[in-house]
Each structure stands twice: as structure tokens, then as C-alpha cells.
Amino acid sequence: MSLFDVFNGDADGICALHQLRLERPGESELVTGPKRDIGLLKRVTAAAGDEITVLDIALSKNREALDRLLAVGARVRYFDHHQPGDELPRHPGFEPHIDTDANVCTSLLVNAYLHGRRLPWAVVAAFGDNLADAARRAAAPLGFGEAQLQDLQSLGECLNYNGYGETLDDLFFDPADLYRQLRPFDDPFAFIAESAAYRTLRTGFDSDMAQARAVGAAEDRAAGRIFMLPAEKWARRISGVFGNALATASPGQAHAVLTARPGGGYVVSVRAPLSNKTGADELCSRFETGGGRKGAAGINHLPAPELDRFIAVFFQIYN
């Protein structure tokens, strides 16, 4: 029997896997990539009896590969908080743990599955997914002080930051390698104190964020703001967490961050207002490569001729 761990390369995917493997150690084949590389199940070649754990990638974007794996007799356990599509598979080898509530992330689903046994890592992931209120609620039983919570938030943001990029070359660490660096640490505070990887990400995060904050809004209205970033590595790395920061700073507004692609067009990150986390998935799904969840969604490639339509739809939904 072979084990496969298929996970999003952001904080939520990495921490979800870390929680599971701390509790249930096992040597598995790791299948991951940059945050927006979500069609990961197609990379898995499995046989009858193999076990596949899927974490934080939309079922709707992986349905064909999932059906193929179930058909050959693999067992698939699926944790996710994105829209799964019209109907879940009905198959004895399929075990879904899916909840699309806007205040839930995949690591919180794994935390419930594990009955809270690795809760600090779920808190890290929730902070990384810009679910600060949910992270603090989840952390309440731990009795952490404010400085400790801020440390966990910093770690979550840095792990999430590492996931953004057009290709692995844009990232500081391949997400599989970043997970391997996390794996020896039961305690996130020990990782913060001892890991050179954390220091690298913290330095990169601060530098890239400073450049993003120097960019003014291309559209600035009461309901929302749109920012345009250049086709540079720093911009591709910071785009998602910059959107999170904008949403946190102005919770009554919607935000879109459009990062120019080297070959033309844009990568788009959308954040619904934190005061009303709806509409992001609806907006992005109107475009060919778009998808996500109610509070945060994106478009992998918005062609340049579609820019005006995107702006119009953005302010139609958020007005």
C-alpha cells in the first residue's frame, strides 16, 4: 500500500498536513505546488488499496481525477473548505470532510477530526488564511497571551506568503520542502525560534509588503478598492497576503489585487469585506479560470481585454 498526501502549498494546506502526520506518522509521496496550482490529483497514479489524503484543494477542480482514483480502488480522504461542485461522489472509498462556511479553513476541519490534539497548528493556519477572528476563537482553550497570538499570526502569514507565485521559481521554498522543515516541530513556537526558514520568510515578507504598500489604488470607491501590481517576483509573492492586509485594514470594503503576468494578462486575488464575507466566489467564477470561496477567491489568468469587465462586475457585486 502506498500513501499520498496531496495538499495546497499555502499555510492552510501545509498546516493541515502537519497536524495529521504529527498524529498519524507515515512516509508518503508529497504532491503540492504554488498556491494556485490546485489541479493536483491528476498527478497521482495510484492502485487498489492505496490511501490518498487531499487537503485544501477544490474538489470541483479535481473531480475527474478523483473519480479515476476511486474507480481503480484507491481510498480518498478529502478535507476542504472550497465550493465542491454540484454533488459529492458516492463511493465507499471516499471520505469527505468538506465545509464551505466562510469562517472555516481546512486546518480547522482537520483540528475537529483530530479532536483538537494539534490545535496550535490549526490556529497558525487560520491566521494565515486571514481568519483572525476564527483563529482567536479556536485558540481560546490554549490560554495564549497576546504576544503569543501575534507570533502565531506572523508564522501563518509567512507560511501563506510562501505559497504565492506564478511558478516554484518565484517562491523562497518549494512547499513540499517547507513542509519537511516544519515536520520535526511539534510546537510552532519552537519553529519560530529555531528555523532559518522562518527568518527567511519573515525578511522577504516585510520587504515585499513595503513595496506593495507604496502602490496606490487604481480604483478607490466607498465599496471597494482595486490595486494593480507589476510583473515582478516580489509582486507575485505578496499579492495574496497584500489582499489580506488590505481587507484587515479596511473591513468594510472589498479588495482586488491584480498582478500583471509576464506573458500578458493578470492574476487576480479578491477579498470580500470582512464585515460581510460573501461574493468573492461568485465574482471570480464568472471568469474562465476563476474560483474560490465566499470570502476570498481568485482568477488564475484574466486576459487584458477582460479587465474592464472585471472592474464592472467587481463594483456590480460590491456597491
Side-chain angles (χ1 to χ4, degrees), residues 237-290:
R237 285 194 299 258
I238 205 65
S239 60
V241 291
F242 181 47
N244 291 344
L246 292 168
T248 299
S250 186
Q253 288 182 299
H255 292 88
V257 178
L258 284 75
T259 307
R261 298 184 65 184
Y266 305 90
V267 175
V268 182
S269 293
V270 174
R271 301 293 181 266
L274 292 182
S275 60
N276 182 25
K277 290 188 278 191
T278 61
D281 54 347
E282 177 190 352
L283 166 61
C284 292
S285 66
R286 295 194 191 183
F287 298 84
E288 184 175 354
T289 61

Side-chain angles (χ1 to χ4, degrees), residues 211-220 225-229 242 246 256:
Q211 294 192 76
R213 290 191 185 282
V215 176
E219 293 278 347
D220 190 346
R225 294 184 291 173
I226 294 175
F227 289 78
M228 312 282 289
L229 300 184
F242 181 47
L246 292 168

Side-chain angles (χ1 to χ4, degrees), residues 101 103-104 108 119 123 127 131-142 277:
D101 186 280
N103 294 303
V104 168
L108 289 174
L119 176 56
V123 172
F127 274 126
L131 300 176
D133 290 344
R136 288 173 176 274
R137 286 194 298 271
L142 299 170
K277 290 188 278 191

Side-chain angles (χ1 to χ4, degrees), residues 1-5 21 47 49-53 74-77:
M1 180 191 74
S2 297
L3 300 178
F4 298 86
D5 288 327
R21 289 296 170 211
D50 289 347
E51 293 187 358
I52 303 164
T53 300
R75 297 191 296 274
V76 181
R77 185 174 46 176

Side-chain angles (χ1 to χ4, degrees), residues 23-310:
E23 283 297 304
R24 301 182 177 185
E27 288 303 316
S28 64
E29 181 176 332
L30 302 179
V31 182
T32 188
K35 178 179 174 66
R36 291 180 181 273
D37 186 1
I38 58 173
L40 297 174
L41 272 184
K42 64 186 177 185
R43 299 189 200 167
V44 177
T45 301
D50 289 347
E51 293 187 358
I52 303 164
T53 300
V54 185
L55 300 154
D56 200 39
I57 58 172
L59 192 154
S60 60
K61 304 294 186 182
N62 290 273
R63 181 58 186 266
E64 183 177 342
L66 174 59
D67 289 342
R68 169 180 58 81
L69 293 166
L70 292 171
V72 301
R75 297 191 296 274
V76 181
R77 185 174 46 176
Y78 211 114
F79 295 87
D80 190 45
H81 63 137
H82 302 91
Q83 291 295 336
D86 295 335
E87 186 176 355
L88 296 180
R90 298 183 179 182
H91 191 283
F94 180 61
E95 180 187 328
H97 301 269
I98 295 175
D99 186 346
T100 61
D101 186 280
N103 294 303
V104 168
C105 64
T106 299
S107 287
L108 289 174
L109 296 177
V110 170
N111 179 67
Y113 178 78
L114 297 176
H115 305 289
R117 287 192 292 272
R118 299 293 176 174
L119 176 56
W121 287 105
V123 172
V124 170
F127 274 126
D129 232 20
N130 206 37
L131 300 176
D133 290 344
R136 288 173 176 274
R137 286 194 298 271
L142 299 170
F144 291 155
E146 182 60 29
Q148 290 173 299
L149 291 173
Q150 289 180 4
D151 283 346
L152 295 184
Q153 181 167 0
S154 174
L155 175 56
E157 290 172 346
C158 286
L159 294 176
N160 210 49
Y161 157 75
N162 184 73
Y164 284 94
E166 186 83 5
T167 66
L168 289 175
D169 186 56
D170 288 337
L171 313 184
F172 283 100
F173 301 99
D174 182 316
D177 292 336
L178 186 57
Y179 163 70
R180 292 187 185 100
Q181 295 197 51
L182 224 64
R183 190 159 53 183
F185 292 89
D186 289 357
D187 179 5
F189 296 109
F191 182 80
I192 291 169
E194 300 171 23
S195 170
Y198 173 71
R199 293 192 292 275
T200 295
L201 292 176
R202 184 74 253 176
T203 299
F205 180 100
D206 291 342
S207 175
D208 291 353
M209 185 64 80
Q211 294 192 76
R213 290 191 185 282
V215 176
E219 293 278 347
D220 190 346
R221 307 183 193 179
R225 294 184 291 173
I226 294 175
F227 289 78
M228 312 282 289
L229 300 184
E232 301 286 348
K233 278 189 176 185
W234 69 263
R236 294 192 290 274
R237 285 194 299 258
I238 205 65
S239 60
V241 291
F242 181 47
N244 291 344
L246 292 168
T248 299
S250 186
Q253 288 182 299
H255 292 88
V257 178
L258 284 75
T259 307
R261 298 184 65 184
Y266 305 90
V267 175
V268 182
S269 293
V270 174
R271 301 293 181 266
L274 292 182
S275 60
N276 182 25
K277 290 188 278 191
T278 61
D281 54 347
E282 177 190 352
L283 166 61
C284 292
S285 66
R286 295 194 191 183
F287 298 84
E288 184 175 354
T289 61
R293 47 196 172 87
K294 297 174 184 177
I299 303 169
N300 287 343
H301 179 212
L302 179 73
E306 291 275 87
L307 175 60
D308 288 344
R309 183 168 81 91
F310 173 81

